[in-house]
Each structure stands twice: as structure tokens, then as C-alpha cells.
Coordinates of all heavy atoms in Angstrom, one line a residue:
G169 N 0.8 -1.2 0.0 CA 0.0 0.0 0.0 C 0.8 1.3 0.0 O 0.3 2.4 0.1
T170 N 2.1 1.1 -0.1 CA 3.0 2.3 -0.1 C 3.0 3.0 -1.4 O 3.2 2.5 -2.5 CB 4.4 1.9 0.3 OG1 4.5 1.3 1.5 CG2 5.3 3.1 0.3
L171 N 2.7 4.3 -1.4 CA 2.7 5.2 -2.6 C 3.7 6.3 -2.3 O 3.6 6.9 -1.2 CB 1.4 5.7 -2.9 CG 0.3 4.7 -3.4 CD1 -1.0 5.3 -3.4 CD2 0.7 4.1 -4.7
L172 N 4.5 6.7 -3.2 CA 5.4 7.8 -3.1 C 5.2 8.8 -4.2 O 4.8 8.4 -5.3 CB 6.9 7.3 -3.2 CG 7.3 6.2 -2.2 CD1 8.7 5.7 -2.5 CD2 7.2 6.8 -0.8
R173 N 5.5 10.1 -3.9 CA 5.2 11.2 -4.8 C 6.5 12.0 -4.9 O 7.1 12.3 -3.8 CB 4.0 12.0 -4.3 CG 3.8 13.2 -5.2 CD 2.5 13.9 -4.6 NE 2.1 15.0 -5.5 CZ 1.9 16.2 -5.1 NH1 2.0 16.5 -3.8 NH2 1.6 17.1 -5.9
S174 N 6.9 12.4 -6.1 CA 8.0 13.4 -6.3 C 7.5 14.6 -6.9 O 6.7 14.5 -7.9 CB 9.1 12.7 -7.1 OG 10.1 13.7 -7.4
R175 N 7.9 15.7 -6.5 CA 7.6 17.0 -7.1 C 8.8 17.7 -7.7 O 8.7 18.8 -8.2 CB 7.0 17.9 -6.0 CG 5.7 17.4 -5.4 CD 5.2 18.2 -4.3 NE 4.8 19.5 -4.8 CZ 3.9 20.3 -4.3 NH1 3.2 19.9 -3.3 NH2 3.7 21.5 -4.8
D176 N 9.9 16.9 -7.8 CA 11.1 17.5 -8.3 C 11.9 16.5 -9.2 O 13.1 16.3 -9.2 CB 12.1 18.0 -7.2 CG 12.4 16.9 -6.2 OD1 12.1 15.7 -6.5 OD2 12.9 17.2 -5.1
Q177 N 11.1 15.9 -10.1 CA 11.7 15.0 -11.1 C 12.4 13.8 -10.5 O 13.4 13.3 -11.1 CB 12.6 15.7 -12.1 CG 12.1 16.4 -13.3 CD 10.8 17.1 -13.1 OE1 10.7 17.9 -12.2 NE2 9.8 17.0 -14.0
G178 N 12.0 13.4 -9.3 CA 12.5 12.2 -8.7 C 13.8 12.4 -7.8 O 14.3 11.5 -7.3
A179 N 14.1 13.7 -7.6 CA 15.3 13.9 -6.7 C 14.9 13.6 -5.2 O 15.8 13.2 -4.5 CB 15.7 15.4 -6.8
S180 N 13.7 13.8 -4.8 CA 13.2 13.5 -3.5 C 11.8 12.9 -3.6 O 11.1 13.2 -4.5 CB 13.3 14.7 -2.6 OG 12.4 15.7 -3.0
W181 N 11.4 12.1 -2.6 CA 10.1 11.5 -2.6 C 9.5 11.6 -1.2 O 10.1 11.7 -0.2 CB 10.3 10.0 -2.8 CG 10.9 9.7 -4.2 CD1 12.2 9.7 -4.6 CD2 10.1 9.5 -5.4 NE1 12.3 9.5 -5.9 CE2 11.0 9.3 -6.5 CE3 8.7 9.4 -5.7 CZ2 10.6 9.1 -7.8 CZ3 8.3 9.2 -7.0 CH2 9.3 9.0 -8.0
T182 N 8.1 11.7 -1.2 CA 7.4 11.8 0.0 C 6.3 10.7 0.0 O 5.8 10.4 -1.1 CB 6.7 13.2 0.3 OG1 5.9 13.5 -0.9 CG2 7.7 14.2 0.5
S183 N 5.9 10.2 1.1 CA 4.9 9.1 1.2 C 3.5 9.8 1.1 O 3.3 10.9 1.6 CB 5.0 8.4 2.5 OG 4.1 7.4 2.6
V184 N 2.6 9.1 0.4 CA 1.2 9.6 0.2 C 0.3 8.5 0.8 O 0.5 7.3 0.5 CB 0.9 9.8 -1.2 CG1 -0.6 10.3 -1.4 CG2 1.8 10.9 -1.8
A185 N -0.6 8.8 1.6 CA -1.5 7.8 2.2 C -2.4 7.2 1.1 O -3.0 7.8 0.3 CB -2.5 8.5 3.2
S186 N -2.4 5.8 1.0 CA -3.1 5.1 0.1 C -4.5 4.6 0.6 O -5.3 4.2 -0.1 CB -2.3 3.9 -0.5 OG -2.2 2.9 0.5
G187 N -4.5 4.5 2.0 CA -5.7 4.0 2.6 C -5.8 2.5 2.6 O -6.8 1.9 2.9
T188 N -4.7 1.8 2.3 CA -4.7 0.4 2.3 C -3.3 -0.1 2.6 O -2.3 0.6 2.4 CB -5.1 -0.2 0.9 OG1 -5.1 -1.6 1.0 CG2 -4.1 0.2 -0.2
D189 N -3.2 -1.4 3.1 CA -1.9 -2.0 3.3 C -1.7 -3.1 2.2 O -0.8 -3.9 2.2 CB -1.8 -2.6 4.7 CG -2.9 -3.7 5.0 OD1 -3.8 -3.9 4.1 OD2 -2.8 -4.3 6.0
A190 N -2.7 -3.2 1.2 CA -2.6 -4.2 0.2 C -1.5 -3.9 -0.8 O -1.1 -2.7 -1.0 CB -3.9 -4.2 -0.6
E191 N -0.9 -4.9 -1.3 CA 0.2 -4.7 -2.4 C -0.5 -4.2 -3.6 O -1.5 -4.7 -4.1 CB 0.8 -6.1 -2.7 CG 1.9 -6.0 -3.7 CD 2.5 -7.3 -4.0 OE1 2.8 -8.1 -3.1 OE2 2.7 -7.6 -5.2
L192 N 0.0 -3.1 -4.1 CA -0.5 -2.4 -5.4 C 0.4 -2.9 -6.5 O 1.6 -2.8 -6.5 CB -0.5 -0.9 -5.2 CG -1.3 -0.5 -4.0 CD1 -1.2 1.0 -3.7 CD2 -2.8 -0.8 -4.1
R193 N -0.3 -3.3 -7.6 CA 0.5 -4.1 -8.6 C 0.5 -3.4 -10.0 O 1.5 -3.6 -10.7 CB -0.1 -5.5 -8.8 CG 0.0 -6.3 -7.5 CD -0.3 -7.7 -7.7 NE 0.0 -8.5 -6.6 CZ -0.4 -9.7 -6.4 NH1 -1.2 -10.2 -7.2 NH2 0.0 -10.3 -5.3
R194 N -0.5 -2.7 -10.4 CA -0.5 -2.3 -11.8 C -1.1 -0.9 -11.9 O -2.2 -0.7 -11.4 CB -1.3 -3.2 -12.7 CG -1.6 -2.8 -14.1 CD -0.5 -3.1 -15.0 NE -0.9 -3.0 -16.4 CZ -0.6 -2.0 -17.2 NH1 0.2 -1.0 -16.8 NH2 -1.0 -2.0 -18.5
G195 N -0.4 0.0 -12.5 CA -0.9 1.4 -12.7 C -1.2 1.6 -14.2 O -0.5 1.1 -15.0
L196 N -2.2 2.4 -14.4 CA -2.6 2.8 -15.8 C -3.3 4.1 -15.9 O -3.8 4.6 -14.9 CB -3.4 1.7 -16.5 CG -4.7 1.2 -15.8 CD1 -5.6 0.6 -16.9 CD2 -4.4 0.1 -14.8
I197 N -3.3 4.7 -17.0 CA -3.9 6.0 -17.2 C -5.3 5.8 -17.7 O -5.5 5.1 -18.7 CB -3.1 6.8 -18.3 CG1 -1.6 7.0 -17.8 CG2 -3.7 8.2 -18.5 CD1 -1.4 7.7 -16.5
E198 N -6.2 6.5 -17.0 CA -7.6 6.5 -17.4 C -7.9 7.3 -18.7 O -7.6 8.5 -18.7 CB -8.5 7.0 -16.3 CG -10.0 6.9 -16.5 CD -10.7 7.4 -15.3 OE1 -10.2 8.3 -14.6 OE2 -11.9 7.0 -15.1
P199 N -8.4 6.7 -19.7 CA -8.7 7.4 -21.0 C -9.7 8.5 -20.7 O -10.6 8.4 -20.0 CB -9.2 6.4 -21.9 CG -9.0 5.1 -21.3 CD -8.8 5.3 -19.8
G200 N -9.5 9.6 -21.4 CA -10.4 10.7 -21.3 C -10.2 11.7 -20.1 O -10.5 12.9 -20.2
T201 N -9.6 11.2 -19.0 CA -9.3 12.1 -17.9 C -7.8 12.2 -17.6 O -7.4 13.1 -16.9 CB -10.0 11.5 -16.6 OG1 -9.4 10.3 -16.2 CG2 -11.5 11.3 -16.8
S202 N -7.0 11.2 -18.0 CA -5.6 11.1 -17.7 C -5.3 10.9 -16.2 O -4.2 11.2 -15.8 CB -4.8 12.3 -18.3 OG -4.9 12.4 -19.7
H203 N -6.3 10.5 -15.5 CA -6.1 10.2 -14.1 C -5.4 8.8 -14.0 O -5.6 7.9 -14.8 CB -7.4 10.1 -13.3 CG -8.1 11.4 -13.2 ND1 -9.4 11.6 -13.1 CD2 -7.6 12.7 -13.2 CE1 -9.7 12.9 -13.1 NE2 -8.6 13.6 -13.1
L204 N -4.6 8.6 -12.9 CA -3.9 7.4 -12.7 C -4.8 6.5 -11.9 O -5.4 6.9 -10.9 CB -2.6 7.6 -11.9 CG -1.7 6.4 -11.7 CD1 -1.2 5.8 -12.9 CD2 -0.5 6.9 -10.8
V205 N -4.9 5.2 -12.3 CA -5.6 4.2 -11.6 C -4.7 3.0 -11.3 O -3.9 2.6 -12.2 CB -6.8 3.7 -12.5 CG1 -7.5 2.5 -11.9 CG2 -7.8 4.8 -12.8
I206 N -4.7 2.5 -10.1 CA -3.9 1.4 -9.7 C -4.8 0.3 -9.1 O -5.7 0.5 -8.4 CB -2.9 1.8 -8.6 CG1 -1.9 2.9 -9.1 CG2 -2.1 0.6 -8.0 CD1 -0.9 3.4 -8.1
V207 N -4.5 -1.0 -9.5 CA -5.2 -2.1 -9.0 C -4.2 -3.0 -8.2 O -2.9 -2.9 -8.4 CB -5.8 -3.0 -10.1 CG1 -6.8 -2.2 -10.9 CG2 -4.8 -3.6 -11.0
G208 N -4.7 -3.8 -7.3 CA -3.8 -4.6 -6.4 C -4.5 -5.7 -5.7 O -5.6 -6.1 -6.0
Q209 N -3.9 -6.2 -4.6 CA -4.4 -7.2 -3.8 C -5.7 -6.8 -3.1 O -6.0 -5.6 -3.0 CB -3.4 -7.7 -2.8 CG -2.2 -8.4 -3.3 CD -1.3 -8.9 -2.2 OE1 -1.2 -8.3 -1.2 NE2 -0.6 -10.0 -2.5
Q210 N -6.4 -7.8 -2.6 CA -7.6 -7.5 -1.8 C -8.7 -6.8 -2.6 O -9.6 -6.1 -2.1 CB -7.3 -6.7 -0.5 CG -6.3 -7.4 0.4 CD -5.9 -6.5 1.5 OE1 -6.4 -5.4 1.7 NE2 -4.9 -7.0 2.3
G211 N -8.6 -6.9 -4.0 CA -9.6 -6.2 -4.8 C -9.5 -4.7 -4.8 O -10.5 -4.0 -5.2
K212 N -8.4 -4.2 -4.5 CA -8.2 -2.7 -4.4 C -8.1 -2.1 -5.8 O -7.4 -2.6 -6.6 CB -6.9 -2.4 -3.6 CG -7.0 -2.8 -2.2 CD -8.1 -2.1 -1.4 CE -8.2 -2.5 0.0 NZ -9.3 -2.1 0.7
V213 N -8.8 -1.0 -6.0 CA -8.7 -0.2 -7.1 C -8.7 1.3 -6.6 O -9.6 1.7 -5.9 CB -9.9 -0.4 -8.1 CG1 -9.8 0.6 -9.3 CG2 -10.1 -1.8 -8.5
L214 N -7.6 1.9 -6.9 CA -7.4 3.3 -6.4 C -7.3 4.2 -7.6 O -6.7 3.9 -8.6 CB -6.1 3.4 -5.6 CG -6.0 2.5 -4.4 CD1 -4.7 2.7 -3.7 CD2 -7.2 2.8 -3.4
R215 N -7.9 5.4 -7.4 CA -7.9 6.4 -8.5 C -7.3 7.8 -8.0 O -7.8 8.2 -7.0 CB -9.3 6.6 -9.1 CG -9.4 7.5 -10.2 CD -10.8 7.4 -10.7 NE -11.0 8.3 -11.9 CZ -11.7 9.4 -11.9 NH1 -12.3 9.8 -10.8 NH2 -11.9 10.1 -13.0
L216 N -6.4 8.3 -8.7 CA -5.8 9.6 -8.4 C -6.4 10.7 -9.2 O -6.5 10.6 -10.4 CB -4.3 9.5 -8.7 CG -3.5 10.8 -8.4 CD1 -3.4 11.1 -6.9 CD2 -2.1 10.6 -9.0
V217 N -6.9 11.8 -8.5 CA -7.5 12.9 -9.2 C -6.9 14.2 -9.0 O -7.3 15.2 -9.6 CB -9.0 12.9 -8.9 CG1 -9.7 11.7 -9.5 CG2 -9.3 13.1 -7.5
D218 N -5.9 14.3 -8.1 CA -5.4 15.6 -7.7 C -3.9 15.7 -7.7 O -3.3 16.1 -6.7 CB -6.0 16.1 -6.4 CG -5.6 15.1 -5.2 OD1 -4.9 14.1 -5.5 OD2 -6.1 15.4 -4.1
A219 N -3.2 15.2 -8.7 CA -1.8 15.3 -8.9 C -1.0 14.6 -7.8 O 0.1 15.1 -7.4 CB -1.3 16.7 -9.1
G220 N -1.5 13.5 -7.3 CA -0.7 12.7 -6.3 C -0.9 13.0 -4.9 O -0.2 12.5 -4.0
K221 N -1.9 13.8 -4.5 CA -2.2 14.1 -3.1 C -3.1 13.1 -2.5 O -2.9 12.7 -1.3 CB -2.7 15.5 -3.0 CG -1.8 16.6 -3.5 CD -2.5 17.9 -3.4 CE -1.7 19.0 -4.2 NZ -2.5 20.2 -4.4
T222 N -4.2 12.7 -3.2 CA -5.2 11.9 -2.6 C -5.6 10.8 -3.5 O -5.8 11.0 -4.7 CB -6.5 12.8 -2.3 OG1 -6.1 13.9 -1.6 CG2 -7.5 12.0 -1.6
W223 N -5.7 9.6 -3.0 CA -6.2 8.4 -3.7 C -7.5 8.0 -3.3 O -7.8 7.9 -2.1 CB -5.2 7.3 -3.5 CG -3.9 7.5 -4.2 CD1 -2.8 8.2 -3.6 CD2 -3.5 7.1 -5.5 NE1 -1.8 8.2 -4.5 CE2 -2.2 7.6 -5.7 CE3 -4.1 6.4 -6.5 CZ2 -1.5 7.4 -6.9 CZ3 -3.4 6.2 -7.7 CH2 -2.1 6.7 -7.8
N224 N -8.5 7.9 -4.2 CA -9.9 7.5 -3.9 C -10.0 6.0 -4.2 O -9.6 5.6 -5.3 CB -10.9 8.3 -4.7 CG -10.8 9.8 -4.4 OD1 -10.6 10.2 -3.2 ND2 -11.0 10.6 -5.4
A225 N -10.7 5.3 -3.3 CA -10.9 3.9 -3.5 C -12.2 3.8 -4.4 O -13.2 4.5 -4.2 CB -11.2 3.2 -2.2
I226 N -12.1 2.9 -5.4 CA -13.2 2.5 -6.3 C -13.7 1.2 -5.8 O -12.9 0.2 -5.9 CB -12.9 2.6 -7.7 CG1 -12.4 4.0 -8.2 CG2 -14.0 2.1 -8.6 CD1 -11.8 4.0 -9.6
P227 N -15.0 1.0 -5.5 CA -15.4 -0.3 -5.0 C -15.4 -1.4 -6.2 O -15.8 -1.1 -7.3 CB -16.9 -0.1 -4.6 CG -17.1 1.4 -4.5 CD -16.0 2.0 -5.4
S228 N -14.7 -2.5 -5.9 CA -14.6 -3.6 -6.9 C -15.6 -4.7 -6.5 O -15.8 -5.6 -7.3 CB -13.2 -4.1 -7.0 OG -12.8 -4.8 -5.8
H229 N -16.1 -4.7 -5.3 CA -17.1 -5.7 -4.8 C -16.4 -7.1 -4.8 O -17.1 -8.1 -4.9 CB -18.3 -5.7 -5.7 CG -19.0 -4.3 -5.8 ND1 -19.5 -3.7 -4.7 CD2 -19.0 -3.5 -6.8 CE1 -20.0 -2.5 -5.1 NE2 -19.6 -2.3 -6.4
T230 N -15.1 -7.1 -4.6 CA -14.4 -8.4 -4.3 C -13.2 -8.1 -3.5 O -12.7 -7.0 -3.4 CB -14.0 -9.1 -5.7 OG1 -13.4 -10.3 -5.4 CG2 -13.0 -8.2 -6.4
R231 N -12.7 -9.2 -2.8 CA -11.5 -9.1 -2.0 C -10.4 -10.0 -2.7 O -9.4 -10.2 -2.2 CB -11.7 -9.6 -0.6 CG -12.7 -8.7 0.1 CD -12.4 -8.0 1.4 NE -11.3 -8.4 2.2 CZ -10.3 -7.6 2.5 NH1 -10.3 -6.4 2.0 NH2 -9.3 -8.0 3.2
R232 N -10.7 -10.5 -3.9 CA -9.8 -11.3 -4.7 C -8.7 -10.4 -5.2 O -8.9 -9.2 -5.5 CB -10.5 -12.0 -5.8 CG -11.5 -12.9 -5.4 CD -10.9 -14.2 -4.7 NE -12.0 -15.1 -4.4 CZ -11.9 -16.4 -4.5 NH1 -10.8 -16.9 -5.0 NH2 -12.9 -17.2 -4.2
H233 N -7.5 -10.9 -5.4 CA -6.3 -10.2 -5.8 C -6.4 -9.9 -7.3 O -6.6 -10.8 -8.1 CB -5.0 -10.9 -5.4 CG -4.9 -11.2 -4.0 ND1 -5.2 -10.3 -3.0 CD2 -4.5 -12.3 -3.4 CE1 -5.0 -10.9 -1.8 NE2 -4.5 -12.1 -2.0
F234 N -6.0 -8.6 -7.6 CA -5.9 -8.2 -9.0 C -4.4 -8.2 -9.3 O -3.6 -7.7 -8.5 CB -6.5 -6.9 -9.3 CG -8.0 -6.8 -9.2 CD1 -8.6 -5.8 -8.5 CD2 -8.8 -7.8 -9.7 CE1 -10.0 -5.8 -8.3 CE2 -10.2 -7.8 -9.6 CZ -10.7 -6.7 -8.9
R235 N -4.0 -8.6 -10.5 CA -2.6 -8.6 -11.0 C -2.4 -7.5 -12.0 O -1.3 -7.0 -12.2 CB -2.2 -9.9 -11.5 CG -2.0 -10.9 -10.4 CD -1.5 -12.3 -10.9 NE -1.4 -13.2 -9.8 CZ -2.4 -14.0 -9.4 NH1 -3.6 -13.8 -9.9 NH2 -2.2 -14.8 -8.4
S236 N -3.4 -7.2 -12.8 CA -3.3 -6.3 -13.9 C -4.7 -5.7 -14.3 O -5.7 -6.2 -13.7 CB -2.7 -7.0 -15.1 OG -2.3 -6.0 -16.1
A237 N -4.7 -4.8 -15.2 CA -6.0 -4.2 -15.6 C -5.8 -3.5 -16.9 O -4.6 -3.2 -17.4 CB -6.4 -3.2 -14.6
A238 N -6.9 -3.2 -17.6 CA -6.8 -2.5 -18.9 C -8.2 -1.8 -19.0 O -9.2 -2.2 -18.4 CB -6.6 -3.4 -20.1
F239 N -8.2 -0.7 -19.7 CA -9.4 0.0 -20.0 C -9.9 -0.4 -21.4 O -9.1 -0.5 -22.3 CB -9.2 1.5 -20.0 CG -9.1 2.1 -18.7 CD1 -7.9 2.4 -18.1 CD2 -10.3 2.4 -18.0 CE1 -7.9 2.9 -16.8 CE2 -10.3 2.9 -16.7 CZ -9.0 3.2 -16.1
N240 N -11.2 -0.7 -21.5 CA -11.9 -0.9 -22.8 C -11.9 0.4 -23.6 O -12.5 1.3 -23.1 CB -13.3 -1.5 -22.6 CG -14.0 -1.8 -23.9 OD1 -13.9 -1.0 -24.8 ND2 -14.7 -2.9 -23.9
P241 N -11.2 0.4 -24.8 CA -11.1 1.7 -25.5 C -12.5 2.2 -26.0 O -12.7 3.4 -26.2 CB -10.2 1.3 -26.7 CG -10.2 -0.1 -26.7 CD -10.5 -0.7 -25.4
R242 N -13.5 1.3 -26.2 CA -14.8 1.8 -26.6 C -15.7 2.3 -25.5 O -16.3 3.4 -25.7 CB -15.5 0.6 -27.3 CG -14.9 0.2 -28.6 CD -15.7 -1.0 -29.2 NE -15.2 -1.4 -30.4 CZ -15.9 -1.3 -31.6 NH1 -17.1 -0.8 -31.6 NH2 -15.3 -1.7 -32.7
S243 N -15.7 1.6 -24.4 CA -16.7 2.0 -23.4 C -16.0 2.8 -22.2 O -16.7 3.5 -21.5 CB -17.3 0.8 -22.8 OG -16.4 0.0 -22.1
G244 N -14.7 2.6 -22.1 CA -14.0 3.2 -20.9 C -14.1 2.4 -19.7 O -13.5 2.8 -18.6
D245 N -14.7 1.2 -19.7 CA -14.8 0.3 -18.6 C -13.5 -0.2 -18.2 O -12.6 -0.4 -19.1 CB -15.7 -0.9 -18.9 CG -17.2 -0.5 -19.1 OD1 -17.6 0.7 -18.9 OD2 -18.0 -1.4 -19.6
L246 N -13.2 -0.4 -16.9 CA -12.0 -1.0 -16.4 C -12.2 -2.5 -16.3 O -13.1 -2.9 -15.7 CB -11.6 -0.4 -15.1 CG -10.4 -0.9 -14.4 CD1 -9.1 -0.5 -15.2 CD2 -10.3 -0.4 -13.0
I247 N -11.3 -3.2 -16.9 CA -11.3 -4.7 -16.7 C -10.1 -5.0 -15.9 O -8.9 -4.8 -16.3 CB -11.2 -5.4 -18.1 CG1 -12.2 -4.8 -19.1 CG2 -11.3 -6.9 -17.9 CD1 -13.6 -5.0 -18.8
A248 N -10.3 -5.6 -14.7 CA -9.3 -6.0 -13.7 C -9.2 -7.5 -13.7 O -10.2 -8.2 -13.7 CB -9.5 -5.4 -12.3
V249 N -8.0 -8.0 -13.8 CA -7.8 -9.4 -13.8 C -6.8 -9.9 -12.8 O -5.9 -9.1 -12.3 CB -7.2 -9.9 -15.2 CG1 -8.2 -9.6 -16.3 CG2 -5.9 -9.2 -15.5
G250 N -7.0 -11.1 -12.3 CA -6.1 -11.7 -11.3 C -6.8 -13.1 -10.9 O -7.0 -13.9 -11.7
E251 N -7.2 -13.2 -9.6 CA -7.9 -14.4 -9.2 C -9.3 -14.4 -9.8 O -9.9 -15.5 -9.7 CB -7.9 -14.4 -7.7 CG -6.6 -14.6 -7.0 CD -6.7 -14.7 -5.5 OE1 -7.7 -14.3 -4.9 OE2 -5.7 -15.2 -4.9
R252 N -9.7 -13.3 -10.3 CA -11.0 -13.3 -11.0 C -11.0 -12.1 -11.9 O -10.1 -11.3 -11.9 CB -12.2 -13.2 -10.0 CG -12.4 -11.9 -9.3 CD -13.6 -11.9 -8.4 NE -14.2 -13.2 -8.2 CZ -15.4 -13.4 -7.9 NH1 -16.3 -12.4 -7.7 NH2 -15.9 -14.6 -7.7
I253 N -11.9 -12.1 -12.9 CA -12.0 -11.0 -13.8 C -13.2 -10.1 -13.4 O -14.3 -10.6 -13.2 CB -12.2 -11.5 -15.3 CG1 -11.0 -12.3 -15.7 CG2 -12.4 -10.3 -16.2 CD1 -11.1 -13.0 -17.0
V254 N -13.0 -8.8 -13.3 CA -14.0 -7.9 -12.9 C -14.1 -6.8 -13.9 O -13.1 -6.2 -14.3 CB -13.8 -7.3 -11.5 CG1 -14.8 -6.3 -11.1 CG2 -13.8 -8.5 -10.4
R255 N -15.3 -6.4 -14.3 CA -15.5 -5.3 -15.2 C -16.2 -4.2 -14.4 O -17.2 -4.4 -13.8 CB -16.4 -5.6 -16.4 CG -16.7 -4.4 -17.3 CD -17.5 -4.7 -18.5 NE -18.8 -5.1 -18.1 CZ -19.9 -4.3 -18.2 NH1 -19.8 -3.1 -18.5 NH2 -21.1 -4.7 -17.8
L256 N -15.5 -3.0 -14.3 CA -16.1 -1.9 -13.6 C -16.6 -0.9 -14.6 O -15.8 -0.3 -15.4 CB -15.0 -1.3 -12.7 CG -14.5 -2.2 -11.6 CD1 -13.3 -1.5 -10.9 CD2 -15.6 -2.6 -10.6
A257 N -17.9 -0.8 -14.8 CA -18.5 0.0 -15.8 C -18.3 1.5 -15.5 O -18.5 1.9 -14.3 CB -19.9 -0.3 -16.0
R258 N -17.9 2.3 -16.5 CA -17.8 3.7 -16.3 C -19.1 4.3 -16.1 O -19.3 5.1 -15.2 CB -17.2 4.4 -17.6 CG -17.1 5.9 -17.5 CD -16.4 6.4 -18.7 NE -15.0 6.1 -18.7 CZ -14.0 6.8 -18.2 NH1 -14.3 7.9 -17.6 NH2 -12.8 6.4 -18.2
N259 N -20.1 3.9 -16.9 CA -21.5 4.4 -16.7 C -22.4 3.1 -16.6 O -22.4 2.3 -17.5 CB -22.0 5.2 -17.9 CG -21.2 6.5 -18.0 OD1 -21.0 7.2 -17.0 ND2 -20.7 6.9 -19.1
P260 N -23.1 3.0 -15.5 CA -24.0 1.8 -15.4 C -25.0 1.8 -16.6 O -25.4 2.8 -17.0 CB -24.7 2.0 -14.1 CG -23.9 3.0 -13.3 CD -23.2 3.8 -14.3
P261 N -25.2 0.6 -17.1 CA -26.2 0.5 -18.2 C -27.6 0.9 -17.8 O -28.0 0.8 -16.6 CB -26.2 -1.0 -18.6 CG -25.6 -1.7 -17.4 CD -24.7 -0.7 -16.7
L262 N -28.3 1.5 -18.7 CA -29.7 1.9 -18.4 C -30.6 0.7 -18.4 O -30.4 -0.2 -19.1 CB -30.2 2.9 -19.5 CG -29.4 4.2 -19.6 CD1 -30.0 5.0 -20.8 CD2 -29.6 5.0 -18.3
T263 N -31.5 0.7 -17.5 CA -32.5 -0.4 -17.4 C -33.9 0.1 -17.7 O -34.2 1.3 -17.4 CB -32.4 -1.1 -16.0 OG1 -32.8 0.0 -15.0 CG2 -31.1 -1.6 -15.7
S264 N -34.7 -0.7 -18.2 CA -36.1 -0.4 -18.5 C -37.0 -1.0 -17.5 O -36.7 -2.2 -17.1 CB -36.4 -0.7 -19.9 OG -36.3 -2.1 -20.1
N265 N -38.0 -0.3 -17.1 CA -39.0 -0.9 -16.2 C -40.2 -1.4 -16.9 O -40.7 -0.9 -17.8 CB -39.4 0.1 -15.1 CG -38.2 0.6 -14.3 OD1 -37.2 -0.2 -14.2 ND2 -38.3 1.7 -13.6

């Protein structure tokens, strides 16, 4: 769960609270927003929205470990893979009553 941030091209680093002790394994850039998203153990999905200051948890509804992830280029959905495959939809599908 350790995250480090540099504001001087890597000359020095400071710790940033991740809100987890889970191992974080794969980082990727969210299409359309350029926000950083990281997936890891315990079903953790974290999203950065403020240049490295704060990480927001995105519910994955599982505690299974993720090893990698990719964004679907058409829908923007996040597909996380590891002990299971999870699709996190950018926009929930519309339902008819």
C-alpha cells in the first residue's frame, strides 16, 4: 500500500496515504481524464484525481487479488484481472422498467 510522490523529477520522494496495506500491482492512465488508476491485492482499485495528493478507492465488490488491468477503449470500462475478472463500468447500463 505504499505510494510515493515526487515534485522535483525524482530527486526526493514523500509518502502519500493510500488508505490500504494491500500490495498495489498495476498502474494505468484512465482514458479521457488522464487520471492514474492502480489495482492490487484484496480487490483494491485506487484512482488519483489531484496530482498525487489523494487516492480515492473505487469499489470492486471483491477481495480477490488483481494482478493487472486495462481500459476498454470503446466504453472506458475498467477490466481488472487476477484471481477473478471484474468489469467496472464507467456508466452503469440503463435499465427499462
